[in-house]
Amino acid sequence: KNEVEQSPQNLTAQEGEFITINCSYSVGISALHWLQQHPGGGIVSLFMLSSGKKKHGRLIATINIQEKHSSLHITASHPRDSAVYICAGANFGNEKLTFGTGTRLTIIP
Amino acid sequence: KAGVTQTPRYLIKTRGQQVTLSCSPISGHRSVSWYQQTPGQGLQFLFEYFSETQRNKGNFPGRFSGRQFSNSRSEMNVSTLELGDSALYLCASSLDRGAEYGYTFGSGTRLTVV
């Protein structure tokens, strides 16, 4: 059983919509990373969270430690936000990132 | 500053051959970790090196190996290639423990085994 579960698998939305991607993780994970992968493969690290909330431009990431749940929000979505978004769990005791299956986001103009 | 550089970007090899991939981390980063991404299995952790020592290892067969040099550059090697080794191989560098300091990823090497 994967220690990181992500939903939805695919998400299509109109430009301007508010987007939410969810990630649930198991015991033993002490930090959650949100990653963005564009066609071509390169990965960009968006956020690293162990508590609370972080914001960068139109992107917001939250984490609830008690519920072991994290969300990535995109406000005023734009076609350039189209990508695969991946959450990954990390344990401060080791470096074995455990990845969710990814959410393929498509923003239609 | 320069990002994480992976070479080559694309590679085609024949079954049974071996391959070496290279990863140059961001200057000052001492940790390099490697990942395999396939359509079926998604992203999976291969191993992590810190100060020339393998610090963590994923669940891959011994055909997959790596090393890190004194300048923190890392190589991974896959021997006796199988068709199933076709994948995007990504490396990421970090100051120390990526779980605490965060990771910077390279653009990947796309390996095709025929």
Side-chain angles (χ1 to χ4, degrees):
Chain A
K1 181 181 182 297
N2 200 351
E3 298 170 16
V4 177
E5 301 285 344
Q6 195 172 338
S7 64
Q9 270 195 298
N10 294 283
L11 182 55
T12 300
Q14 293 289 132
E15 182 174 355
E17 285 190 39
F18 182 82
I19 303 299
T20 297
I21 299 169
N22 296 300
C23 183
S24 297
Y25 57 93
S26 62
V27 173
I29 286 174
S30 36
L32 217 291
H33 296 253
W34 283 100
L35 312 171
Q36 179 193 56
Q37 186 172 34
H38 279 281
I43 287 179
V44 174
S45 180
L46 298 174
F47 295 104
M48 182 177 67
L49 293 159
S50 54
S51 65
K53 176 180 174 178
K54 289 189 177 180
K55 185 175 188 290
H56 181 68
R58 295 178 295 104
L59 272 59
I60 303 164
T62 63
I63 191 167
N64 184 316
I65 304 296
Q66 285 72 33
E67 295 184 5
K68 296 183 182 49
H69 180 269
S70 177
S71 293
L72 175 69
H73 304 286
I74 305 175
T75 62
S77 59
H78 190 276
R80 64 173 174 266
D81 297 325
S82 298
V84 176
Y85 293 84
I86 303 166
C87 66
N91 184 310
F92 288 155
N94 67 62
E95 294 301 295
K96 294 183 183 183
L97 275 181
T98 303
F99 298 88
T101 51
T103 294
R104 184 174 299 278
L105 174 65
T106 305
I107 304 297
I108 300 169
Chain B
K1 60 185 177 183
V4 177
T5 304
Q6 288 189 248
T7 56
R9 287 297 310 276
Y10 302 92
L11 205 48
I12 300 175
K13 289 287 190 178
T14 305
R15 261 184 310 176
Q17 286 187 313
Q18 75 164 20
V19 67
T20 299
L21 312 181
S22 177
C23 175
S24 293
I26 287 176
S27 178
H29 283 194
R30 295 196 292 165
S31 167
V32 174
S33 47
W34 288 89
Y35 306 89
Q36 181 197 63
Q37 186 177 35
T38 60
Q41 299 295 320
L43 273 160
Q44 294 181 282
F45 171 81
L46 279 157
F47 29 65
E48 184 246 355
Y49 286 85
F50 179 82
S51 292
E52 302 179 64
T53 301
Q54 187 181 85
R55 195 160 57 171
N56 288 281
K57 190 176 189 304
N59 298 322
F60 278 81
R63 299 186 298 107
F64 291 81
S65 62
R67 59 178 175 168
Q68 187 179 34
F69 301 95
S70 58
N71 62 357
S72 292
R73 188 178 72 86
S74 177
E75 289 181 347
M76 68 162 280
N77 184 77
V78 188
S79 62
T80 321
L81 283 165
E82 300 176 0
L83 295 179
D85 297 332
S86 295
L88 179 68
Y89 291 88
L90 290 151
C91 76
S93 75
S94 179
L95 273 171
D96 189 341
R97 296 194 177 277
E100 298 176 55
Y101 293 93
Y103 302 89
T104 302
F105 287 82
S107 298
T109 294
R110 190 166 296 279
L111 170 67
T112 302
V113 182
V114 297

PDB file of all heavy atoms in Angstrom, chain A residues 22-61:
ATOM      1  N   ASN A  22      -5.464  17.111  -3.620  1.00  0.00           N
ATOM      2  CA  ASN A  22      -5.352  16.584  -2.262  1.00  0.00           C
ATOM      3  C   ASN A  22      -4.324  15.466  -2.149  1.00  0.00           C
ATOM      4  O   ASN A  22      -4.095  14.708  -3.090  1.00  0.00           O
ATOM      5  CB  ASN A  22      -6.714  16.061  -1.802  1.00  0.00           C
ATOM      6  CG  ASN A  22      -7.729  17.166  -1.700  1.00  0.00           C
ATOM      7  OD1 ASN A  22      -7.550  18.111  -0.937  1.00  0.00           O
ATOM      8  ND2 ASN A  22      -8.786  17.075  -2.480  1.00  0.00           N
ATOM      9  N   CYS A  23      -3.759  15.362  -0.962  1.00  0.00           N
ATOM     10  CA  CYS A  23      -2.745  14.346  -0.695  1.00  0.00           C
ATOM     11  C   CYS A  23      -2.911  13.859   0.737  1.00  0.00           C
ATOM     12  O   CYS A  23      -2.937  14.672   1.663  1.00  0.00           O
ATOM     13  CB  CYS A  23      -1.363  14.962  -0.905  1.00  0.00           C
ATOM     14  SG  CYS A  23      -0.002  13.825  -0.697  1.00  0.00           S
ATOM     15  N   SER A  24      -3.034  12.546   0.918  1.00  0.00           N
ATOM     16  CA  SER A  24      -3.087  11.946   2.250  1.00  0.00           C
ATOM     17  C   SER A  24      -1.863  11.072   2.424  1.00  0.00           C
ATOM     18  O   SER A  24      -1.409  10.415   1.486  1.00  0.00           O
ATOM     19  CB  SER A  24      -4.345  11.086   2.399  1.00  0.00           C
ATOM     20  OG  SER A  24      -5.503  11.874   2.278  1.00  0.00           O
ATOM     21  N   TYR A  25      -1.354  11.060   3.640  1.00  0.00           N
ATOM     22  CA  TYR A  25      -0.126  10.310   3.853  1.00  0.00           C
ATOM     23  C   TYR A  25      -0.203   9.516   5.156  1.00  0.00           C
ATOM     24  O   TYR A  25      -1.064   9.759   5.999  1.00  0.00           O
ATOM     25  CB  TYR A  25       1.087  11.235   3.846  1.00  0.00           C
ATOM     26  CG  TYR A  25       1.028  12.351   4.857  1.00  0.00           C
ATOM     27  CD1 TYR A  25       1.589  12.198   6.132  1.00  0.00           C
ATOM     28  CD2 TYR A  25       0.425  13.568   4.554  1.00  0.00           C
ATOM     29  CE1 TYR A  25       1.545  13.222   7.057  1.00  0.00           C
ATOM     30  CE2 TYR A  25       0.379  14.589   5.469  1.00  0.00           C
ATOM     31  CZ  TYR A  25       0.929  14.416   6.714  1.00  0.00           C
ATOM     32  OH  TYR A  25       0.878  15.437   7.627  1.00  0.00           O
ATOM     33  N   SER A  26       0.714   8.579   5.293  1.00  0.00           N
ATOM     34  CA  SER A  26       0.653   7.667   6.436  1.00  0.00           C
ATOM     35  C   SER A  26       1.606   8.111   7.535  1.00  0.00           C
ATOM     36  O   SER A  26       2.403   9.042   7.374  1.00  0.00           O
ATOM     37  CB  SER A  26       1.002   6.251   5.974  1.00  0.00           C
ATOM     38  OG  SER A  26       2.311   6.228   5.470  1.00  0.00           O
ATOM     39  N   VAL A  27       1.497   7.399   8.642  1.00  0.00           N
ATOM     40  CA  VAL A  27       2.384   7.636   9.788  1.00  0.00           C
ATOM     41  C   VAL A  27       3.840   7.452   9.358  1.00  0.00           C
ATOM     42  O   VAL A  27       4.143   6.575   8.554  1.00  0.00           O
ATOM     43  CB  VAL A  27       2.048   6.644  10.919  1.00  0.00           C
ATOM     44  CG1 VAL A  27       3.048   6.728  12.049  1.00  0.00           C
ATOM     45  CG2 VAL A  27       0.647   6.884  11.441  1.00  0.00           C
ATOM     46  N   GLY A  28       4.710   8.259   9.917  1.00  0.00           N
ATOM     47  CA  GLY A  28       6.131   8.124   9.602  1.00  0.00           C
ATOM     48  C   GLY A  28       6.627   9.177   8.645  1.00  0.00           C
ATOM     49  O   GLY A  28       7.826   9.351   8.485  1.00  0.00           O
ATOM     50  N   ILE A  29       5.710   9.871   8.003  1.00  0.00           N
ATOM     51  CA  ILE A  29       6.108  10.942   7.097  1.00  0.00           C
ATOM     52  C   ILE A  29       6.089  12.252   7.866  1.00  0.00           C
ATOM     53  O   ILE A  29       5.080  12.610   8.467  1.00  0.00           O
ATOM     54  CB  ILE A  29       5.184  10.974   5.864  1.00  0.00           C
ATOM     55  CG1 ILE A  29       5.539   9.789   4.965  1.00  0.00           C
ATOM     56  CG2 ILE A  29       5.313  12.292   5.110  1.00  0.00           C
ATOM     57  CD1 ILE A  29       4.633   9.596   3.779  1.00  0.00           C
ATOM     58  N   SER A  30       7.221  12.955   7.838  1.00  0.00           N
ATOM     59  CA  SER A  30       7.327  14.161   8.655  1.00  0.00           C
ATOM     60  C   SER A  30       7.376  15.445   7.835  1.00  0.00           C
ATOM     61  O   SER A  30       7.306  16.535   8.396  1.00  0.00           O
ATOM     62  CB  SER A  30       8.556  14.075   9.565  1.00  0.00           C
ATOM     63  OG  SER A  30       9.622  13.433   8.932  1.00  0.00           O
ATOM     64  N   ALA A  31       7.466  15.338   6.533  1.00  0.00           N
ATOM     65  CA  ALA A  31       7.414  16.522   5.672  1.00  0.00           C
ATOM     66  C   ALA A  31       6.785  16.127   4.347  1.00  0.00           C
ATOM     67  O   ALA A  31       6.950  15.002   3.873  1.00  0.00           O
ATOM     68  CB  ALA A  31       8.804  17.096   5.437  1.00  0.00           C
ATOM     69  N   LEU A  32       6.082  17.080   3.773  1.00  0.00           N
ATOM     70  CA  LEU A  32       5.373  16.827   2.520  1.00  0.00           C
ATOM     71  C   LEU A  32       5.899  17.800   1.470  1.00  0.00           C
ATOM     72  O   LEU A  32       5.998  19.005   1.731  1.00  0.00           O
ATOM     73  CB  LEU A  32       3.881  17.056   2.754  1.00  0.00           C
ATOM     74  CG  LEU A  32       2.842  16.179   2.069  1.00  0.00           C
ATOM     75  CD1 LEU A  32       2.802  16.421   0.573  1.00  0.00           C
ATOM     76  CD2 LEU A  32       3.084  14.709   2.350  1.00  0.00           C
ATOM     77  N   HIS A  33       6.249  17.267   0.315  1.00  0.00           N
ATOM     78  CA  HIS A  33       6.733  18.109  -0.776  1.00  0.00           C
ATOM     79  C   HIS A  33       5.698  18.130  -1.897  1.00  0.00           C
ATOM     80  O   HIS A  33       5.105  17.097  -2.215  1.00  0.00           O
ATOM     81  CB  HIS A  33       8.041  17.547  -1.340  1.00  0.00           C
ATOM     82  CG  HIS A  33       9.176  17.547  -0.355  1.00  0.00           C
ATOM     83  ND1 HIS A  33      10.232  18.437  -0.455  1.00  0.00           N
ATOM     84  CD2 HIS A  33       9.421  16.785   0.734  1.00  0.00           C
ATOM     85  CE1 HIS A  33      11.069  18.204   0.536  1.00  0.00           C
ATOM     86  NE2 HIS A  33      10.604  17.214   1.271  1.00  0.00           N
ATOM     87  N   TRP A  34       5.493  19.289  -2.472  1.00  0.00           N
ATOM     88  CA  TRP A  34       4.687  19.406  -3.677  1.00  0.00           C
ATOM     89  C   TRP A  34       5.610  19.719  -4.842  1.00  0.00           C
ATOM     90  O   TRP A  34       6.418  20.654  -4.782  1.00  0.00           O
ATOM     91  CB  TRP A  34       3.629  20.489  -3.535  1.00  0.00           C
ATOM     92  CG  TRP A  34       2.451  20.059  -2.713  1.00  0.00           C
ATOM     93  CD1 TRP A  34       2.194  20.345  -1.415  1.00  0.00           C
ATOM     94  CD2 TRP A  34       1.362  19.242  -3.165  1.00  0.00           C
ATOM     95  NE1 TRP A  34       1.026  19.760  -1.012  1.00  0.00           N
ATOM     96  CE2 TRP A  34       0.484  19.081  -2.072  1.00  0.00           C
ATOM     97  CE3 TRP A  34       1.033  18.630  -4.386  1.00  0.00           C
ATOM     98  CZ2 TRP A  34      -0.697  18.326  -2.149  1.00  0.00           C
ATOM     99  CZ3 TRP A  34      -0.129  17.888  -4.464  1.00  0.00           C
ATOM    100  CH2 TRP A  34      -0.985  17.743  -3.359  1.00  0.00           C
ATOM    101  N   LEU A  35       5.462  18.941  -5.911  1.00  0.00           N
ATOM    102  CA  LEU A  35       6.318  19.041  -7.082  1.00  0.00           C
ATOM    103  C   LEU A  35       5.465  19.280  -8.317  1.00  0.00           C
ATOM    104  O   LEU A  35       4.304  18.853  -8.377  1.00  0.00           O
ATOM    105  CB  LEU A  35       7.127  17.750  -7.255  1.00  0.00           C
ATOM    106  CG  LEU A  35       7.841  17.195  -6.030  1.00  0.00           C
ATOM    107  CD1 LEU A  35       8.412  15.811  -6.325  1.00  0.00           C
ATOM    108  CD2 LEU A  35       8.951  18.132  -5.591  1.00  0.00           C
ATOM    109  N   GLN A  36       6.065  19.944  -9.307  1.00  0.00           N
ATOM    110  CA  GLN A  36       5.386  20.189 -10.572  1.00  0.00           C
ATOM    111  C   GLN A  36       6.240  19.621 -11.695  1.00  0.00           C
ATOM    112  O   GLN A  36       7.456  19.869 -11.740  1.00  0.00           O
ATOM    113  CB  GLN A  36       5.200  21.696 -10.780  1.00  0.00           C
ATOM    114  CG  GLN A  36       4.515  22.078 -12.075  1.00  0.00           C
ATOM    115  CD  GLN A  36       4.646  23.571 -12.350  1.00  0.00           C
ATOM    116  OE1 GLN A  36       5.747  24.113 -12.403  1.00  0.00           O
ATOM    117  NE2 GLN A  36       3.519  24.250 -12.511  1.00  0.00           N
ATOM    118  N   GLN A  37       5.608  18.851 -12.564  1.00  0.00           N
ATOM    119  CA  GLN A  37       6.343  18.247 -13.673  1.00  0.00           C
ATOM    120  C   GLN A  37       5.651  18.601 -14.988  1.00  0.00           C
ATOM    121  O   GLN A  37       4.500  18.262 -15.222  1.00  0.00           O
ATOM    122  CB  GLN A  37       6.419  16.728 -13.533  1.00  0.00           C
ATOM    123  CG  GLN A  37       7.302  16.075 -14.596  1.00  0.00           C
ATOM    124  CD  GLN A  37       7.523  14.597 -14.326  1.00  0.00           C
ATOM    125  OE1 GLN A  37       6.653  13.903 -13.822  1.00  0.00           O
ATOM    126  NE2 GLN A  37       8.723  14.106 -14.655  1.00  0.00           N
ATOM    127  N   HIS A  38       6.406  19.290 -15.851  1.00  0.00           N
ATOM    128  CA  HIS A  38       5.885  19.659 -17.169  1.00  0.00           C
ATOM    129  C   HIS A  38       6.252  18.585 -18.185  1.00  0.00           C
ATOM    130  O   HIS A  38       7.176  17.783 -17.947  1.00  0.00           O
ATOM    131  CB  HIS A  38       6.462  21.006 -17.598  1.00  0.00           C
ATOM    132  CG  HIS A  38       5.751  22.175 -16.986  1.00  0.00           C
ATOM    133  ND1 HIS A  38       4.535  22.634 -17.465  1.00  0.00           N
ATOM    134  CD2 HIS A  38       6.059  22.957 -15.930  1.00  0.00           C
ATOM    135  CE1 HIS A  38       4.141  23.653 -16.732  1.00  0.00           C
ATOM    136  NE2 HIS A  38       5.036  23.876 -15.793  1.00  0.00           N
ATOM    137  N   PRO A  39       5.547  18.549 -19.322  1.00  0.00           N
ATOM    138  CA  PRO A  39       5.950  17.623 -20.392  1.00  0.00           C
ATOM    139  C   PRO A  39       7.430  17.819 -20.701  1.00  0.00           C
ATOM    140  O   PRO A  39       7.913  18.944 -20.741  1.00  0.00           O
ATOM    141  CB  PRO A  39       5.087  18.055 -21.571  1.00  0.00           C
ATOM    142  CG  PRO A  39       3.915  18.719 -20.963  1.00  0.00           C
ATOM    143  CD  PRO A  39       4.406  19.367 -19.707  1.00  0.00           C
ATOM    144  N   GLY A  40       8.140  16.720 -20.918  1.00  0.00           N
ATOM    145  CA  GLY A  40       9.591  16.842 -21.090  1.00  0.00           C
ATOM    146  C   GLY A  40      10.300  16.319 -19.871  1.00  0.00           C
ATOM    147  O   GLY A  40      11.448  15.905 -19.951  1.00  0.00           O
ATOM    148  N   GLY A  41       9.604  16.326 -18.734  1.00  0.00           N
ATOM    149  CA  GLY A  41      10.097  15.573 -17.592  1.00  0.00           C
ATOM    150  C   GLY A  41      10.655  16.329 -16.413  1.00  0.00           C
ATOM    151  O   GLY A  41      10.572  15.858 -15.299  1.00  0.00           O
ATOM    152  N   GLY A  42      11.225  17.515 -16.619  1.00  0.00           N
ATOM    153  CA  GLY A  42      11.876  18.195 -15.508  1.00  0.00           C
ATOM    154  C   GLY A  42      10.910  18.478 -14.369  1.00  0.00           C
ATOM    155  O   GLY A  42       9.736  18.766 -14.584  1.00  0.00           O
ATOM    156  N   ILE A  43      11.389  18.354 -13.157  1.00  0.00           N
ATOM    157  CA  ILE A  43      10.557  18.553 -11.969  1.00  0.00           C
ATOM    158  C   ILE A  43      10.998  19.818 -11.250  1.00  0.00           C
ATOM    159  O   ILE A  43      12.198  20.062 -11.073  1.00  0.00           O
ATOM    160  CB  ILE A  43      10.658  17.336 -11.031  1.00  0.00           C
ATOM    161  CG1 ILE A  43       9.899  16.153 -11.631  1.00  0.00           C
ATOM    162  CG2 ILE A  43      10.127  17.667  -9.644  1.00  0.00           C
ATOM    163  CD1 ILE A  43       9.952  14.895 -10.807  1.00  0.00           C
ATOM    164  N   VAL A  44       9.992  20.588 -10.836  1.00  0.00           N
ATOM    165  CA  VAL A  44      10.249  21.791 -10.041  1.00  0.00           C
ATOM    166  C   VAL A  44       9.647  21.576  -8.658  1.00  0.00           C
ATOM    167  O   VAL A  44       8.495  21.144  -8.543  1.00  0.00           O
ATOM    168  CB  VAL A  44       9.618  23.036 -10.702  1.00  0.00           C
ATOM    169  CG1 VAL A  44       9.755  24.246  -9.793  1.00  0.00           C
ATOM    170  CG2 VAL A  44      10.260  23.289 -12.053  1.00  0.00           C
ATOM    171  N   SER A  45      10.420  21.835  -7.640  1.00  0.00           N
ATOM    172  CA  SER A  45       9.920  21.724  -6.282  1.00  0.00           C
ATOM    173  C   SER A  45       9.159  22.998  -5.947  1.00  0.00           C
ATOM    174  O   SER A  45       9.697  24.102  -6.022  1.00  0.00           O
ATOM    175  CB  SER A  45      11.091  21.530  -5.311  1.00  0.00           C
ATOM    176  OG  SER A  45      10.616  21.411  -3.999  1.00  0.00           O
ATOM    177  N   LEU A  46       7.865  22.848  -5.604  1.00  0.00           N
ATOM    178  CA  LEU A  46       7.024  24.012  -5.326  1.00  0.00           C
ATOM    179  C   LEU A  46       7.049  24.383  -3.845  1.00  0.00           C
ATOM    180  O   LEU A  46       7.232  25.543  -3.484  1.00  0.00           O
ATOM    181  CB  LEU A  46       5.587  23.728  -5.755  1.00  0.00           C
ATOM    182  CG  LEU A  46       5.345  23.453  -7.237  1.00  0.00           C
ATOM    183  CD1 LEU A  46       3.897  23.040  -7.461  1.00  0.00           C
ATOM    184  CD2 LEU A  46       5.707  24.663  -8.079  1.00  0.00           C
ATOM    185  N   PHE A  47       6.795  23.414  -2.991  1.00  0.00           N
ATOM    186  CA  PHE A  47       6.704  23.662  -1.559  1.00  0.00           C
ATOM    187  C   PHE A  47       7.250  22.466  -0.785  1.00  0.00           C
ATOM    188  O   PHE A  47       7.196  21.342  -1.244  1.00  0.00           O
ATOM    189  CB  PHE A  47       5.230  23.839  -1.118  1.00  0.00           C
ATOM    190  CG  PHE A  47       4.535  25.031  -1.675  1.00  0.00           C
ATOM    191  CD1 PHE A  47       3.619  24.877  -2.708  1.00  0.00           C
ATOM    192  CD2 PHE A  47       4.769  26.295  -1.175  1.00  0.00           C
ATOM    193  CE1 PHE A  47       2.964  25.966  -3.235  1.00  0.00           C
ATOM    194  CE2 PHE A  47       4.116  27.401  -1.686  1.00  0.00           C
ATOM    195  CZ  PHE A  47       3.206  27.237  -2.725  1.00  0.00           C
ATOM    196  N   MET A  48       7.749  22.781   0.403  1.00  0.00           N
ATOM    197  CA  MET A  48       8.057  21.766   1.391  1.00  0.00           C
ATOM    198  C   MET A  48       7.361  22.200   2.684  1.00  0.00           C
ATOM    199  O   MET A  48       7.544  23.330   3.140  1.00  0.00           O
ATOM    200  CB  MET A  48       9.555  21.663   1.623  1.00  0.00           C
ATOM    201  CG  MET A  48       9.931  20.589   2.614  1.00  0.00           C
ATOM    202  SD  MET A  48      11.711  20.441   2.803  1.00  0.00           S
ATOM    203  CE  MET A  48      12.114  22.014   3.575  1.00  0.00           C
ATOM    204  N   LEU A  49       6.547  21.301   3.232  1.00  0.00           N
ATOM    205  CA  LEU A  49       5.737  21.642   4.397  1.00  0.00           C
ATOM    206  C   LEU A  49       5.900  20.594   5.476  1.00  0.00           C
ATOM    207  O   LEU A  49       5.827  19.407   5.205  1.00  0.00           O
ATOM    208  CB  LEU A  49       4.244  21.631   4.033  1.00  0.00           C
ATOM    209  CG  LEU A  49       3.682  22.659   3.084  1.00  0.00           C
ATOM    210  CD1 LEU A  49       2.386  22.137   2.498  1.00  0.00           C
ATOM    211  CD2 LEU A  49       3.425  23.954   3.822  1.00  0.00           C
ATOM    212  N   SER A  50       6.066  21.064   6.701  1.00  0.00           N
ATOM    213  CA  SER A  50       5.941  20.141   7.826  1.00  0.00           C
ATOM    214  C   SER A  50       4.841  20.611   8.770  1.00  0.00           C
ATOM    215  O   SER A  50       4.416  19.877   9.656  1.00  0.00           O
ATOM    216  CB  SER A  50       7.260  19.994   8.580  1.00  0.00           C
ATOM    217  OG  SER A  50       7.742  21.249   8.966  1.00  0.00           O
ATOM    218  N   SER A  51       4.369  21.841   8.573  1.00  0.00           N
ATOM    219  CA  SER A  51       3.238  22.346   9.348  1.00  0.00           C
ATOM    220  C   SER A  51       2.691  23.584   8.657  1.00  0.00           C
ATOM    221  O   SER A  51       3.405  24.247   7.882  1.00  0.00           O
ATOM    222  CB  SER A  51       3.654  22.681  10.766  1.00  0.00           C
ATOM    223  OG  SER A  51       4.577  23.744  10.766  1.00  0.00           O
ATOM    224  N   GLY A  52       1.415  23.897   8.949  1.00  0.00           N
ATOM    225  CA  GLY A  52       0.849  25.173   8.535  1.00  0.00           C
ATOM    226  C   GLY A  52       0.561  25.333   7.063  1.00  0.00           C
ATOM    227  O   GLY A  52      -0.005  24.456   6.410  1.00  0.00           O
ATOM    228  N   LYS A  53       0.942  26.467   6.557  1.00  0.00           N
ATOM    229  CA  LYS A  53       0.536  26.898   5.223  1.00  0.00           C
ATOM    230  C   LYS A  53       1.659  27.705   4.598  1.00  0.00           C
ATOM    231  O   LYS A  53       2.355  28.446   5.280  1.00  0.00           O
ATOM    232  CB  LYS A  53      -0.717  27.763   5.398  1.00  0.00           C
ATOM    233  CG  LYS A  53      -1.288  28.425   4.177  1.00  0.00           C
ATOM    234  CD  LYS A  53      -2.533  29.226   4.600  1.00  0.00           C
ATOM    235  CE  LYS A  53      -3.091  30.056   3.471  1.00  0.00           C
ATOM    236  NZ  LYS A  53      -4.315  30.789   3.897  1.00  0.00           N
ATOM    237  N   LYS A  54       1.815  27.536   3.272  1.00  0.00           N
ATOM    238  CA  LYS A  54       2.788  28.355   2.546  1.00  0.00           C
ATOM    239  C   LYS A  54       2.136  28.880   1.276  1.00  0.00           C
ATOM    240  O   LYS A  54       1.281  28.224   0.686  1.00  0.00           O
ATOM    241  CB  LYS A  54       4.040  27.538   2.203  1.00  0.00           C
ATOM    242  CG  LYS A  54       4.909  27.220   3.406  1.00  0.00           C
ATOM    243  CD  LYS A  54       6.232  26.611   2.998  1.00  0.00           C
ATOM    244  CE  LYS A  54       7.099  26.364   4.218  1.00  0.00           C
ATOM    245  NZ  LYS A  54       8.413  25.754   3.867  1.00  0.00           N
ATOM    246  N   LYS A  55       2.584  30.068   0.861  1.00  0.00           N
ATOM    247  CA  LYS A  55       2.005  30.702  -0.326  1.00  0.00           C
ATOM    248  C   LYS A  55       3.132  31.210  -1.198  1.00  0.00           C
ATOM    249  O   LYS A  55       4.106  31.786  -0.721  1.00  0.00           O
ATOM    250  CB  LYS A  55       1.092  31.855   0.104  1.00  0.00           C
ATOM    251  CG  LYS A  55       0.331  32.530  -1.021  1.00  0.00           C
ATOM    252  CD  LYS A  55      -0.620  33.562  -0.451  1.00  0.00           C
ATOM    253  CE  LYS A  55      -1.562  34.145  -1.516  1.00  0.00           C
ATOM    254  NZ  LYS A  55      -0.893  34.993  -2.480  1.00  0.00           N
ATOM    255  N   HIS A  56       2.966  30.988  -2.512  1.00  0.00           N
ATOM    256  CA  HIS A  56       3.929  31.538  -3.462  1.00  0.00           C
ATOM    257  C   HIS A  56       3.155  31.941  -4.704  1.00  0.00           C
ATOM    258  O   HIS A  56       2.704  31.087  -5.475  1.00  0.00           O
ATOM    259  CB  HIS A  56       5.010  30.511  -3.801  1.00  0.00           C
ATOM    260  CG  HIS A  56       6.033  31.029  -4.754  1.00  0.00           C
ATOM    261  ND1 HIS A  56       6.930  32.015  -4.412  1.00  0.00           N
ATOM    262  CD2 HIS A  56       6.293  30.731  -6.036  1.00  0.00           C
ATOM    263  CE1 HIS A  56       7.697  32.279  -5.450  1.00  0.00           C
ATOM    264  NE2 HIS A  56       7.336  31.510  -6.447  1.00  0.00           N
ATOM    265  N   GLY A  57       2.962  33.233  -4.854  1.00  0.00           N
ATOM    266  CA  GLY A  57       2.174  33.718  -5.987  1.00  0.00           C
ATOM    267  C   GLY A  57       0.743  33.221  -5.892  1.00  0.00           C
ATOM    268  O   GLY A  57       0.073  33.423  -4.874  1.00  0.00           O
ATOM    269  N   ARG A  58       0.291  32.530  -6.939  1.00  0.00           N
ATOM    270  CA  ARG A  58      -1.086  32.018  -6.954  1.00  0.00           C
ATOM    271  C   ARG A  58      -1.191  30.619  -6.343  1.00  0.00           C
ATOM    272  O   ARG A  58      -2.259  30.017  -6.332  1.00  0.00           O
ATOM    273  CB  ARG A  58      -1.597  31.996  -8.396  1.00  0.00           C
ATOM    274  CG  ARG A  58      -1.735  33.368  -9.033  1.00  0.00           C
ATOM    275  CD  ARG A  58      -2.200  33.297 -10.498  1.00  0.00           C
ATOM    276  NE  ARG A  58      -1.237  32.650 -11.344  1.00  0.00           N
ATOM    277  CZ  ARG A  58      -1.349  31.397 -11.806  1.00  0.00           C
ATOM    278  NH1 ARG A  58      -2.411  30.654 -11.496  1.00  0.00           N
ATOM    279  NH2 ARG A  58      -0.418  30.889 -12.604  1.00  0.00           N
ATOM    280  N   LEU A  59      -0.108  30.092  -5.876  1.00  0.00           N
ATOM    281  CA  LEU A  59      -0.092  28.746  -5.308  1.00  0.00           C
ATOM    282  C   LEU A  59      -0.079  28.802  -3.786  1.00  0.00           C
ATOM    283  O   LEU A  59       0.663  29.606  -3.197  1.00  0.00           O
ATOM    284  CB  LEU A  59       1.146  27.974  -5.777  1.00  0.00           C
ATOM    285  CG  LEU A  59       1.044  27.201  -7.096  1.00  0.00           C
ATOM    286  CD1 LEU A  59       0.701  28.102  -8.258  1.00  0.00           C
ATOM    287  CD2 LEU A  59       2.315  26.436  -7.367  1.00  0.00           C
ATOM    288  N   ILE A  60      -0.934  27.961  -3.190  1.00  0.00           N
ATOM    289  CA  ILE A  60      -1.006  27.864  -1.737  1.00  0.00           C
ATOM    290  C   ILE A  60      -0.957  26.383  -1.368  1.00  0.00           C
ATOM    291  O   ILE A  60      -1.650  25.573  -1.980  1.00  0.00           O
ATOM    292  CB  ILE A  60      -2.327  28.462  -1.196  1.00  0.00           C
ATOM    293  CG1 ILE A  60      -2.479  29.918  -1.653  1.00  0.00           C
ATOM    294  CG2 ILE A  60      -2.380  28.371   0.326  1.00  0.00           C
ATOM    295  CD1 ILE A  60      -3.894  30.433  -1.501  1.00  0.00           C
ATOM    296  N   ALA A  61      -0.149  26.048  -0.380  1.00  0.00           N
ATOM    297  CA  ALA A  61      -0.101  24.666   0.101  1.00  0.00           C
ATOM    298  C   ALA A  61      -0.389  24.671   1.588  1.00  0.00           C
ATOM    299  O   ALA A  61       0.104  25.529   2.330  1.00  0.00           O
ATOM    300  CB  ALA A  61       1.259  24.040  -0.177  1.00  0.00           C
TER     301      ALA A  61
END
